Amino acid sequence: MGGKPARIIALTNGFHGRTLGALSATWKPAIRKPFEPLVPSIQFVRAGDPFALYEAFAETGVGHYGKGPVAAVIMELIQGEAGVKPLGADYVKQVRQMCDIHNALLIIDEVQTGIGRTGSWFAFQREDLSGGITPDIVTFAKGVAGGFPMGGMIAFGSKLSALFTPGSHGSTFAGNPLGAAAALATLSVIEQDGLVANAEERGRQLREGLMATGNPLYVSVRGRGLLDAVELSHPCAHAAMNWCLEHGLIVNAVRADALRFAPPLIVSEQDVDDALAILKAVPTDLPND
Ligand SMILES: Cc1ncc(COP(=O)(O)O)c(C=O)c1O
């Protein structure tokens, strides 16, 4: 390919974190700008649009023409920071197909969606989010060690996992025995206490309960398991978030017109009922953000 640098394709509205490499694949200009220059050769394409992806792959050229080959596509299956927006199973299947055709890796960032949050261990295991595809690489963190800093990645297939040999990647705190012990303990509690199924059931209770509150502030709900959002009738999410906080409920104004819910996986039926009672009472005349 004429030695042109390989590209990584990331999606508009995607969020992958604030360390340099991850930030380079994060879309939001306001977060990226202060840290530029970032890692080059990351190209953003419109999320959910298979034709945009097709075109981006097709830009690969030989000699003086075109860009370098696509090494990988990185994406979330539910764009969390963008407002809990699932990409859609059909689109995800098309991305997988294009990666296969072009010999590119598909990296699914499950830092927000993984470890039971969406009602399955990983979001890619949900047919209704992934269309049943298998990624090449999955990243995870957050809930894996119950609050202890810990993250990792899984590479599927021995050809790929053999590329990372001992010593080829490391940092002071990497391979941390305390982190590994915390993760093992957390994973066994999640398994023994049936918290993945709890996420699915409590999430359904939350989404259905929200629309049943009859509060006209709530237009529609979306999400899976315990990663959910409600669309608001007007852009008052910050005022709604503060009102909820004052009344004992933690929610997140993920967009001006949406609240995100990501309660702990141990949340009980009674906890969700209590949350719904607070959400029912949120005033409808809150000021816009
Ligand atoms: C999808 C996703 N990827 C990665 C991260 C990790 O971000 P950071 O490295 O800033 O903790 C997050 C954190 O919210 C996330 O939501």
Side-chain angles (χ1 to χ4, degrees):
M1 295 282 173
K4 283 176 286 195
R7 291 173 284 154
I8 292 178
I9 290 179
L11 301 187
T12 55
N13 295 309
F15 183 91
H16 300 291
R18 289 184 163 90
T19 48
L20 192 74
L23 183 62
S24 307
T26 290
W27 181 74
K28 205 173 183 182
I31 316 181
R32 299 164 54 83
K33 262 262 136 326
F35 296 98
E36 286 178 347
L38 297 170
V39 177
S41 295
I42 295 185
Q43 180 177 352
F44 290 96
V45 307
R46 200 162 51 248
D49 179 353
F51 298 106
L53 191 62
Y54 179 85
E55 274 171 19
F57 269 111
E59 287 172 41
T60 300
V62 287
H64 296 297
Y65 302 101
K67 299 177 175 168
V70 177
V73 175
I74 182 166
M75 62 191 200
E76 307 150 85
L77 293 184
I78 297 179
Q79 293 190 312
E81 298 300 305
V84 189
K85 300 263 178 83
L87 285 178
D90 287 345
Y91 173 72
V92 175
K93 276 198 286 189
Q94 286 166 313
V95 177
R96 174 75 273 181
Q97 272 168 8
M98 276 187 255
C99 286
D100 287 344
I101 291 167
H102 294 274
N103 205 19
L105 299 176
L106 176 56
I107 306 169
I108 307 273
D109 178 347
E110 295 246 21
V111 168
Q112 194 160 144
T113 52
I115 319 296
R117 171 125 322 259
T118 66
S120 66
W121 278 101
F122 287 104
F124 82 83
Q125 295 169 307
R126 287 193 71 117
E127 184 91 24
D128 60 355
L129 287 175
S130 73
I133 60 104
T134 304
D136 298 298
I137 291 171
V138 164
T139 60
F140 61 88
K142 292 204 192 289
V144 70
F148 190 87
M150 163 88 185
M153 63 176 235
I154 303 167
F156 293 89
S158 52
K159 208 169 116 205
L160 192 54
S161 52
L163 293 175
F164 247 12
T165 50
S168 64
H169 177 67
S171 74
T172 306
F173 298 116
N176 185 317
L178 182 57
L184 287 174
T186 305
L187 293 176
S188 60
V189 169
I190 294 175
E191 195 168 47
Q192 280 159 25
D193 292 2
L195 298 184
V196 179
N198 190 58
E200 176 74 3
E201 286 156 26
R202 299 285 75 79
R204 189 174 311 116
Q205 179 191 354
L206 178 65
R207 290 188 302 276
E208 289 175 4
L210 257 168
M211 295 320 291
T213 58
N215 187 331
L217 194 56
Y218 308 133
V219 176
S220 61
V221 283
R222 56 178 176 262
R224 300 287 191 287
L226 287 173
L227 183 58
D228 301 296
V230 65
E231 196 76 22
L232 304 175
S233 59
H234 65 283
C236 63
H238 277 92
M241 174 179 76
N242 290 334
W243 194 94
C244 287
L245 277 175
E246 278 161 24
H247 291 80
L249 178 67
I250 300 173
V251 296
N252 175 236
V254 71
R255 295 162 54 101
D257 57 2
L259 290 176
R260 176 174 56 181
F261 307 92
L265 305 193
I266 55 167
V267 79
S268 68
E269 190 172 355
Q270 184 61 54
D271 292 333
V272 175
D273 279 343
D274 293 347
L276 288 167
I278 295 169
L279 289 162
K280 184 180 167 86
V282 176
T284 51
D285 59 351
L286 291 169
N288 286 353
D289 284 2

